[in-house]
Coordinates of all heavy atoms in Angstrom, one line a residue:
Q10 N 0.8 -1.2 0.0 CA 0.0 -0.1 0.0 C 0.8 1.2 0.0 O 0.5 2.2 -0.6 CB -1.0 -0.1 1.3 CG -1.8 1.2 1.2 CD -2.9 1.2 0.1 OE1 -3.6 0.3 0.0 NE2 -3.1 2.3 -0.6
E11 N 2.0 1.2 0.7 CA 2.8 2.4 0.8 C 3.3 2.8 -0.6 O 3.3 4.0 -0.9 CB 4.1 2.1 1.6 CG 5.0 3.2 1.8 CD 6.2 2.9 2.7 OE1 6.1 1.9 3.5 OE2 7.2 3.6 2.7
L12 N 3.7 1.9 -1.5 CA 4.1 2.3 -2.9 C 3.0 2.8 -3.7 O 3.2 3.8 -4.5 CB 4.9 1.1 -3.5 CG 6.2 0.7 -3.1 CD1 6.7 -0.5 -3.8 CD2 7.2 1.8 -3.1
V13 N 1.8 2.2 -3.5 CA 0.7 2.7 -4.3 C 0.3 4.2 -3.8 O 0.1 5.0 -4.6 CB -0.5 1.8 -4.0 CG1 -1.9 2.4 -4.6 CG2 -0.3 0.4 -4.6
D14 N 0.4 4.4 -2.6 CA 0.2 5.8 -2.0 C 1.2 6.8 -2.5 O 0.9 7.9 -2.9 CB 0.2 5.8 -0.5 CG -1.0 5.1 0.1 OD1 -2.0 4.9 -0.6 OD2 -0.9 4.7 1.2
W15 N 2.4 6.3 -2.6 CA 3.6 7.1 -3.1 C 3.5 7.5 -4.5 O 3.9 8.6 -4.9 CB 4.9 6.4 -2.7 CG 6.1 7.0 -3.3 CD1 6.8 8.1 -2.8 CD2 6.7 6.7 -4.6 NE1 7.9 8.4 -3.6 CE2 7.8 7.5 -4.7 CE3 6.5 5.7 -5.5 CZ2 8.7 7.5 -5.9 CZ3 7.3 5.7 -6.6 CH2 8.3 6.5 -6.8
A16 N 3.0 6.5 -5.4 CA 3.1 6.7 -6.8 C 2.2 7.9 -7.3 O 1.1 8.0 -6.8 CB 2.7 5.4 -7.5
D17 N 2.7 8.6 -8.3 CA 1.9 9.6 -9.0 C 1.0 8.9 -10.0 O -0.1 9.3 -10.3 CB 2.7 10.7 -9.6 CG 3.5 11.5 -8.6 OD1 3.0 11.8 -7.5 OD2 4.6 11.9 -8.9
K18 N 1.5 7.9 -10.6 CA 0.8 7.1 -11.8 C 1.1 5.7 -11.6 O 2.3 5.4 -11.4 CB 1.2 7.8 -13.1 CG 0.4 7.4 -14.2 CD -0.9 8.2 -14.2 CE -1.8 8.0 -15.3 NZ -3.1 8.4 -15.1
I19 N 0.1 4.9 -11.9 CA 0.4 3.4 -11.9 C -0.2 2.9 -13.2 O -1.4 3.2 -13.6 CB -0.4 2.8 -10.7 CG1 0.2 3.4 -9.4 CG2 -0.2 1.3 -10.8 CD1 -0.7 3.0 -8.2
F20 N 0.6 2.1 -13.9 CA 0.2 1.5 -15.1 C 0.1 0.0 -15.0 O 0.9 -0.6 -14.3 CB 1.2 1.8 -16.3 CG 1.3 3.3 -16.6 CD1 2.4 4.0 -16.2 CD2 0.4 3.9 -17.3 CE1 2.6 5.3 -16.5 CE2 0.5 5.2 -17.5 CZ 1.6 6.0 -17.2
Y21 N -0.9 -0.6 -15.6 CA -1.1 -2.0 -15.7 C -1.1 -2.4 -17.1 O -1.4 -1.6 -18.0 CB -2.2 -2.6 -14.9 CG -3.5 -1.8 -15.0 CD1 -4.4 -2.1 -16.1 CD2 -3.8 -0.8 -14.2 CE1 -5.5 -1.4 -16.2 CE2 -5.1 -0.1 -14.3 CZ -5.9 -0.4 -15.4 OH -7.0 0.3 -15.6
M22 N -0.8 -3.6 -17.4 CA -0.7 -4.2 -18.8 C -2.0 -4.6 -19.5 O -2.2 -4.5 -20.6 CB 0.3 -5.2 -18.9 CG 1.7 -4.8 -18.3 SD 2.6 -3.8 -19.3 CE 3.4 -4.8 -20.4
D23 N -2.9 -5.2 -18.6 CA -4.1 -5.8 -19.2 C -5.2 -5.8 -18.2 O -5.1 -5.3 -17.1 CB -3.8 -7.2 -19.8 CG -3.3 -8.1 -18.7 OD1 -3.7 -8.1 -17.6 OD2 -2.5 -9.0 -19.1
D24 N -6.4 -6.3 -18.6 CA -7.6 -6.3 -17.8 C -7.4 -7.2 -16.5 O -7.9 -6.8 -15.5 CB -8.7 -6.9 -18.6 CG -9.1 -5.8 -19.7 OD1 -8.8 -4.6 -19.6 OD2 -9.8 -6.3 -20.8
A25 N -6.7 -8.3 -16.7 CA -6.5 -9.1 -15.5 C -5.6 -8.4 -14.4 O -5.9 -8.5 -13.2 CB -5.7 -10.4 -15.9
N26 N -4.6 -7.6 -14.8 CA -3.8 -6.9 -13.9 C -4.7 -5.8 -13.3 O -4.6 -5.6 -12.1 CB -2.7 -6.1 -14.6 CG -1.7 -7.0 -15.2 OD1 -1.0 -6.7 -16.2 ND2 -1.3 -8.1 -14.6
E27 N -5.6 -5.2 -14.0 CA -6.5 -4.2 -13.5 C -7.4 -4.8 -12.4 O -7.6 -4.3 -11.3 CB -7.4 -3.6 -14.6 CG -8.4 -2.6 -14.0 CD -9.4 -2.0 -15.1 OE1 -9.6 -2.7 -16.1 OE2 -9.9 -1.0 -14.8
R28 N -8.0 -6.0 -12.7 CA -8.9 -6.6 -11.7 C -8.2 -7.0 -10.4 O -8.6 -6.6 -9.3 CB -9.4 -7.9 -12.4 CG -10.6 -7.7 -13.3 CD -11.3 -9.0 -13.6 NE -10.4 -9.9 -14.3 CZ -10.2 -9.9 -15.6 NH1 -10.7 -9.1 -16.4 NH2 -9.4 -10.9 -16.2
R29 N -6.9 -7.5 -10.5 CA -6.1 -7.7 -9.3 C -5.7 -6.5 -8.6 O -5.9 -6.4 -7.3 CB -4.8 -8.6 -9.7 CG -5.1 -10.0 -10.0 CD -3.9 -10.8 -10.2 NE -3.0 -10.3 -11.2 CZ -2.9 -10.7 -12.5 NH1 -3.9 -11.5 -12.9 NH2 -2.1 -10.2 -13.3
F30 N -5.4 -5.4 -9.3 CA -5.1 -4.1 -8.6 C -6.3 -3.6 -7.9 O -6.2 -3.2 -6.7 CB -4.6 -3.2 -9.6 CG -4.3 -1.8 -9.0 CD1 -3.0 -1.6 -8.5 CD2 -5.1 -0.8 -9.0 CE1 -2.6 -0.4 -8.0 CE2 -4.8 0.4 -8.4 CZ -3.5 0.6 -7.8
V31 N -7.4 -3.6 -8.6 CA -8.7 -3.0 -8.0 C -9.1 -3.8 -6.7 O -9.5 -3.3 -5.7 CB -9.8 -2.9 -9.0 CG1 -11.1 -2.6 -8.3 CG2 -9.4 -1.8 -10.0
E32 N -9.0 -5.2 -6.8 CA -9.4 -6.1 -5.8 C -8.5 -5.8 -4.5 O -8.9 -5.8 -3.4 CB -9.2 -7.5 -6.1 CG -10.3 -8.0 -7.0 CD -9.9 -9.5 -7.5 OE1 -9.0 -10.1 -7.0 OE2 -10.8 -9.9 -8.4
Q33 N -7.2 -5.5 -4.7 CA -6.2 -5.3 -3.7 C -6.3 -3.9 -3.1 O -6.2 -3.6 -1.9 CB -4.8 -5.6 -4.1 CG -3.9 -5.7 -3.0 CD -2.5 -6.3 -3.3 OE1 -2.3 -6.7 -4.4 NE2 -1.6 -6.2 -2.3
F34 N -6.4 -2.9 -4.0 CA -6.2 -1.5 -3.6 C -7.5 -0.6 -3.8 O -7.5 0.6 -3.4 CB -5.0 -0.9 -4.3 CG -3.8 -1.6 -4.1 CD1 -3.2 -2.4 -5.0 CD2 -3.1 -1.5 -2.8 CE1 -2.0 -3.0 -4.8 CE2 -1.9 -2.1 -2.6 CZ -1.4 -2.9 -3.6
G35 N -8.4 -1.1 -4.6 CA -9.6 -0.2 -4.9 C -9.4 0.5 -6.2 O -8.3 0.6 -6.7
Q36 N -10.4 1.1 -6.7 CA -10.3 1.9 -7.9 C -9.6 3.2 -7.6 O -9.9 3.9 -6.7 CB -11.8 2.2 -8.5 CG -11.8 2.8 -9.8 CD -11.3 1.9 -10.9 OE1 -11.6 0.7 -10.9 NE2 -10.6 2.5 -11.9
M37 N -8.7 3.6 -8.6 CA -7.9 4.9 -8.4 C -7.8 5.6 -9.7 O -7.4 4.9 -10.7 CB -6.5 4.6 -7.8 CG -6.5 4.0 -6.4 SD -4.8 3.9 -5.8 CE -5.1 2.9 -4.4
D38 N -8.0 6.9 -9.7 CA -7.7 7.6 -10.9 C -6.3 7.6 -11.4 O -6.1 7.7 -12.6 CB -8.2 9.1 -10.7 CG -9.6 9.2 -10.6 OD1 -10.4 8.4 -11.0 OD2 -10.1 10.3 -10.0
K39 N -5.4 7.4 -10.5 CA -3.9 7.4 -11.0 C -3.5 6.0 -11.5 O -2.4 5.9 -12.0 CB -3.1 7.8 -9.8 CG -3.0 6.8 -8.6 CD -2.1 7.3 -7.6 CE -2.0 6.5 -6.3 NZ -1.1 7.1 -5.4
A40 N -4.4 5.1 -11.6 CA -4.1 3.8 -12.1 C -4.8 3.6 -13.5 O -6.0 3.8 -13.4 CB -4.4 2.7 -11.2
E41 N -4.1 3.2 -14.5 CA -4.7 2.9 -15.8 C -3.9 2.0 -16.7 O -2.8 1.8 -16.4 CB -5.1 4.2 -16.6 CG -3.8 5.0 -17.0 CD -4.2 6.3 -17.7 OE1 -5.0 6.3 -18.6 OE2 -3.8 7.3 -17.2
K42 N -4.7 1.5 -17.7 CA -4.0 0.5 -18.6 C -3.0 1.3 -19.5 O -3.4 2.3 -20.1 CB -5.1 -0.2 -19.4 CG -4.6 -1.4 -20.2 CD -5.5 -2.3 -20.8 CE -6.9 -2.0 -20.9 NZ -7.7 -2.9 -21.7
L43 N -1.9 0.8 -19.6 CA -0.7 1.4 -20.4 C -1.1 1.5 -21.9 O -0.8 2.5 -22.5 CB 0.6 0.5 -20.2 CG 1.8 1.1 -20.8 CD1 2.1 2.5 -20.2 CD2 3.0 0.2 -20.5
S44 N -1.8 0.6 -22.4 CA -2.2 0.6 -23.8 C -3.2 1.7 -24.1 O -3.4 2.0 -25.3 CB -2.8 -0.8 -24.3 OG -4.0 -1.1 -23.5
N45 N -3.7 2.3 -23.1 CA -4.6 3.5 -23.4 C -3.8 4.7 -24.1 O -4.5 5.5 -24.8 CB -5.2 4.1 -22.1 CG -6.2 3.2 -21.5 OD1 -6.7 2.3 -22.0 ND2 -6.6 3.5 -20.2
Y46 N -2.5 4.6 -24.1 CA -1.7 5.6 -24.8 C -1.2 5.3 -26.1 O -0.4 6.0 -26.8 CB -0.5 6.0 -23.8 CG -1.0 6.6 -22.6 CD1 -1.2 5.9 -21.5 CD2 -1.1 8.0 -22.6 CE1 -1.6 6.5 -20.2 CE2 -1.6 8.7 -21.4 CZ -1.8 7.9 -20.3 OH -2.3 8.6 -19.2
I47 N -1.8 4.1 -26.7 CA -1.4 3.8 -28.0 C -2.8 3.4 -28.8 O -3.5 2.5 -28.5 CB -0.5 2.4 -28.1 CG1 0.7 2.6 -27.2 CG2 -0.2 2.2 -29.5 CD1 1.5 1.4 -27.0
I48 N -3.0 4.3 -29.7 CA -4.2 4.1 -30.5 C -4.2 2.8 -31.2 O -3.3 2.4 -31.8 CB -4.4 5.3 -31.6 CG1 -4.5 6.6 -30.8 CG2 -5.5 5.0 -32.5 CD1 -4.4 7.8 -31.8
G49 N -5.3 2.0 -31.1 CA -5.5 0.8 -31.7 C -5.0 -0.4 -31.0 O -5.1 -1.5 -31.4
V50 N -4.4 -0.2 -29.8 CA -3.8 -1.3 -29.0 C -4.6 -1.4 -27.7 O -4.8 -0.5 -27.0 CB -2.3 -1.0 -28.7 CG1 -1.8 -2.1 -27.7 CG2 -1.5 -1.0 -29.9
N51 N -5.2 -2.6 -27.5 CA -6.0 -2.9 -26.3 C -5.2 -3.4 -25.2 O -5.7 -3.4 -24.0 CB -7.2 -3.8 -26.7 CG -8.2 -4.0 -25.6 OD1 -8.5 -3.0 -25.0 ND2 -8.6 -5.2 -25.4
K52 N -4.1 -4.1 -25.4 CA -3.4 -4.8 -24.4 C -1.9 -4.9 -24.9 O -1.6 -5.1 -26.0 CB -4.0 -6.3 -24.4 CG -3.2 -7.2 -23.5 CD -3.7 -8.6 -23.6 CE -2.8 -9.6 -23.0 NZ -3.3 -10.9 -22.9
I53 N -1.1 -4.8 -23.8 CA 0.4 -5.0 -24.1 C 0.7 -6.3 -23.4 O 0.5 -6.4 -22.2 CB 1.2 -3.7 -23.5 CG1 0.8 -2.5 -24.2 CG2 2.6 -4.0 -23.7 CD1 1.4 -1.2 -23.8
P54 N 1.2 -7.3 -24.1 CA 1.6 -8.6 -23.5 C 2.6 -8.4 -22.5 O 3.5 -7.5 -22.6 CB 2.0 -9.4 -24.7 CG 1.4 -8.7 -25.9 CD 1.4 -7.3 -25.6
D55 N 2.7 -9.4 -21.6 CA 3.8 -9.4 -20.7 C 5.1 -9.8 -21.4 O 5.2 -10.8 -22.0 CB 3.5 -10.5 -19.6 CG 4.5 -10.5 -18.4 OD1 5.7 -10.1 -18.7 OD2 4.1 -10.9 -17.4
P56 N 6.1 -9.0 -21.3 CA 7.4 -9.2 -22.1 C 8.1 -10.5 -21.6 O 8.9 -11.1 -22.3 CB 8.2 -8.0 -21.9 CG 7.6 -7.2 -20.8 CD 6.1 -7.7 -20.6
A57 N 7.8 -10.8 -20.4 CA 8.5 -12.0 -19.8 C 8.2 -13.3 -20.6 O 9.0 -14.2 -20.6 CB 8.2 -12.1 -18.3
F58 N 7.0 -13.4 -21.1 CA 6.6 -14.5 -21.8 C 7.3 -14.8 -23.2 O 7.1 -15.8 -23.8 CB 5.1 -14.7 -21.9 CG 4.5 -14.8 -20.6 CD1 3.6 -13.9 -20.2 CD2 4.7 -15.9 -19.8 CE1 3.0 -14.0 -18.9 CE2 4.1 -16.1 -18.6 CZ 3.2 -15.1 -18.1
A59 N 7.9 -13.8 -23.7 CA 8.5 -13.8 -25.0 C 10.0 -13.4 -25.0 O 10.5 -13.2 -26.1 CB 7.7 -13.0 -26.0
E60 N 10.6 -13.5 -23.9 CA 12.0 -13.0 -23.8 C 13.0 -13.6 -24.7 O 12.9 -14.8 -25.0 CB 12.5 -13.3 -22.3 CG 13.8 -12.5 -22.0 CD 14.2 -12.6 -20.6 OE1 13.4 -13.1 -19.8 OE2 15.2 -12.1 -20.2
G61 N 13.7 -12.7 -25.4 CA 14.7 -13.1 -26.4 C 14.1 -13.3 -27.8 O 14.9 -13.7 -28.7
T62 N 12.9 -13.0 -28.0 CA 12.3 -13.2 -29.4 C 11.9 -11.9 -30.0 O 12.0 -10.8 -29.4 CB 11.0 -14.1 -29.2 OG1 10.0 -13.3 -28.5 CG2 11.2 -15.3 -28.5
E63 N 11.5 -11.9 -31.2 CA 11.1 -10.8 -31.9 C 9.8 -10.2 -31.3 O 9.6 -9.0 -31.1 CB 10.7 -11.0 -33.4 CG 10.3 -9.9 -34.2 CD 11.5 -8.8 -34.4 OE1 12.7 -9.2 -34.3 OE2 11.2 -7.6 -34.6
A64 N 9.0 -11.0 -30.7 CA 7.7 -10.6 -30.0 C 8.1 -9.8 -28.8 O 7.5 -8.8 -28.4 CB 6.9 -11.8 -29.6
H65 N 9.2 -10.2 -28.1 CA 9.6 -9.5 -26.9 C 10.1 -8.1 -27.3 O 9.8 -7.2 -26.6 CB 10.9 -10.3 -26.3 CG 11.4 -9.7 -25.1 ND1 12.5 -8.9 -25.0 CD2 10.9 -9.6 -23.8 CE1 12.8 -8.5 -23.8 NE2 11.8 -8.9 -23.1
R66 N 10.8 -8.0 -28.4 CA 11.3 -6.7 -28.9 C 10.1 -5.8 -29.1 O 10.1 -4.6 -28.9 CB 12.2 -6.8 -30.0 CG 13.6 -7.3 -29.5 CD 14.6 -7.4 -30.7 NE 14.4 -8.6 -31.6 CZ 14.8 -9.9 -31.2 NH1 15.3 -10.0 -30.1 NH2 14.5 -10.8 -32.1
N67 N 9.1 -6.4 -29.8 CA 7.9 -5.6 -30.2 C 7.1 -5.1 -28.9 O 6.6 -4.0 -28.9 CB 6.9 -6.4 -31.1 CG 7.5 -6.6 -32.4 OD1 8.3 -5.9 -32.8 ND2 7.1 -7.7 -33.1
V68 N 7.1 -6.0 -27.9 CA 6.4 -5.5 -26.6 C 7.3 -4.4 -26.0 O 6.6 -3.4 -25.6 CB 6.3 -6.7 -25.7 CG1 5.9 -6.3 -24.3 CG2 5.4 -7.8 -26.2
I69 N 8.5 -4.5 -26.0 CA 9.4 -3.4 -25.4 C 9.1 -2.1 -26.1 O 9.0 -1.0 -25.6 CB 10.9 -3.8 -25.5 CG1 11.1 -5.0 -24.6 CG2 11.7 -2.6 -25.0 CD1 10.7 -4.9 -23.2
L70 N 9.0 -2.1 -27.6 CA 8.7 -1.0 -28.3 C 7.3 -0.4 -27.9 O 7.2 0.8 -27.9 CB 8.8 -1.3 -29.8 CG 10.2 -1.6 -30.3 CD1 10.1 -2.0 -31.8 CD2 11.1 -0.4 -30.2
L71 N 6.4 -1.2 -27.7 CA 5.0 -0.8 -27.3 C 5.0 0.0 -26.0 O 4.5 1.0 -25.8 CB 4.0 -2.0 -27.3 CG 3.5 -2.5 -28.5 CD1 2.6 -3.8 -28.3 CD2 2.7 -1.4 -29.3
I72 N 5.8 -0.6 -25.0 CA 5.9 0.0 -23.7 C 6.6 1.3 -23.8 O 6.1 2.3 -23.3 CB 6.7 -1.0 -22.7 CG1 5.9 -2.2 -22.5 CG2 7.0 -0.2 -21.5 CD1 6.6 -3.3 -21.8
H73 N 7.6 1.4 -24.6 CA 8.4 2.6 -24.8 C 7.4 3.7 -25.3 O 7.5 4.8 -25.0 CB 9.6 2.4 -25.7 CG 10.4 3.6 -25.9 ND1 10.8 4.5 -25.0 CD2 10.9 4.1 -27.1 CE1 11.5 5.5 -25.5 NE2 11.5 5.3 -26.8
K74 N 6.7 3.3 -26.4 CA 5.8 4.2 -27.1 C 4.7 4.7 -26.1 O 4.4 5.9 -26.1 CB 5.1 3.5 -28.3 CG 4.2 4.4 -29.1 CD 3.7 3.6 -30.3 CE 2.8 4.5 -31.2 NZ 2.4 3.8 -32.4
A75 N 4.2 3.8 -25.3 CA 3.2 4.2 -24.5 C 3.6 5.2 -23.3 O 2.9 6.1 -22.9 CB 2.5 3.0 -23.8
L76 N 4.8 4.9 -22.9 CA 5.4 5.8 -21.8 C 6.0 7.1 -22.3 O 6.5 7.9 -21.4 CB 6.5 4.9 -21.0 CG 5.9 3.8 -20.2 CD1 7.1 3.0 -19.5 CD2 5.0 4.3 -19.1
K77 N 6.1 7.3 -23.6 CA 6.8 8.5 -24.1 C 6.2 9.8 -23.4 O 6.9 10.7 -23.1 CB 6.6 8.6 -25.6 CG 7.9 8.4 -26.4 CD 7.7 8.7 -27.8 CE 9.0 8.4 -28.4 NZ 8.9 8.2 -29.9
K78 N 4.9 9.8 -23.2 CA 4.2 11.0 -22.6 C 4.8 11.2 -21.1 O 4.8 12.3 -20.7 CB 2.8 10.8 -22.5 CG 2.1 11.9 -21.8 CD 0.6 11.6 -21.7 CE -0.1 12.7 -20.9 NZ -1.5 12.6 -20.8
W79 N 5.2 10.1 -20.5 CA 5.6 10.2 -19.1 C 7.1 10.3 -18.8 O 7.5 10.4 -17.7 CB 5.0 9.0 -18.3 CG 3.5 9.1 -18.5 CD1 2.7 8.3 -19.3 CD2 2.6 9.9 -17.8 NE1 1.4 8.6 -19.2 CE2 1.3 9.5 -18.3 CE3 2.7 10.8 -16.8 CZ2 0.1 10.2 -17.8 CZ3 1.5 11.4 -16.3 CH2 0.3 11.1 -16.8
T80 N 7.9 10.1 -19.9 CA 9.4 10.1 -19.7 C 10.0 11.3 -20.4 O 9.4 11.8 -21.4 CB 9.9 8.8 -20.1 OG1 9.7 8.7 -21.5 CG2 9.4 7.6 -19.4
T81 N 11.3 11.6 -20.0 CA 12.0 12.6 -20.7 C 13.1 12.0 -21.5 O 13.9 12.7 -22.1 CB 12.5 13.6 -19.7 OG1 13.4 12.9 -18.7 CG2 11.5 14.3 -19.0
V82 N 13.3 10.6 -21.4 CA 14.5 10.0 -22.1 C 14.0 9.5 -23.5 O 13.0 9.0 -23.7 CB 15.0 8.8 -21.3 CG1 16.1 8.1 -22.1 CG2 15.4 9.3 -20.0

């Protein structure tokens, strides 16, 4: 709970992550699905399931694209 309270923004990858988050911490305006920041993308897969593959690289690119608004790098 301490990290959730501390965070300005919380991103989750898919609907299952959202359900678990809401069950544990409740609904919060500062928590939202990361794919909301990419037009036409409903879900960003977990990169751990495709590590070392082209799919993994594509997931990393999606994450990077979605987080552009929130980062300065």
Side-chain angles (χ1 to χ4, degrees):
Q10 181 70 50
E11 184 179 339
L12 289 176
V13 170
D14 293 339
W15 170 83
D17 293 326
K18 194 74 173 165
I19 299 169
F20 297 107
Y21 46 84
M22 303 290 271
D23 58 33
D24 294 336
N26 294 148
E27 178 184 20
R28 282 190 296 278
R29 286 191 299 272
F30 181 86
V31 170
E32 285 173 7
Q33 188 169 357
F34 301 105
Q36 188 68 38
M37 295 184 188
D38 290 339
K39 66 180 175 180
E41 66 181 304
K42 193 170 6 175
L43 188 57
S44 63
N45 288 351
Y46 292 92
I47 306 173
I48 296 172
V50 174
N51 185 44
K52 168 186 171 174
I53 298 176
D55 187 333
F58 292 118
E60 192 167 353
T62 67
E63 185 65 27
H65 182 257
R66 287 181 282 282
N67 290 337
V68 169
I69 299 303
L70 290 173
L71 283 173
I72 292 169
H73 178 50
K74 182 176 182 178
L76 290 175
K77 250 185 180 162
K78 175 181 178 178
W79 301 99
T80 60
T81 57
V82 177

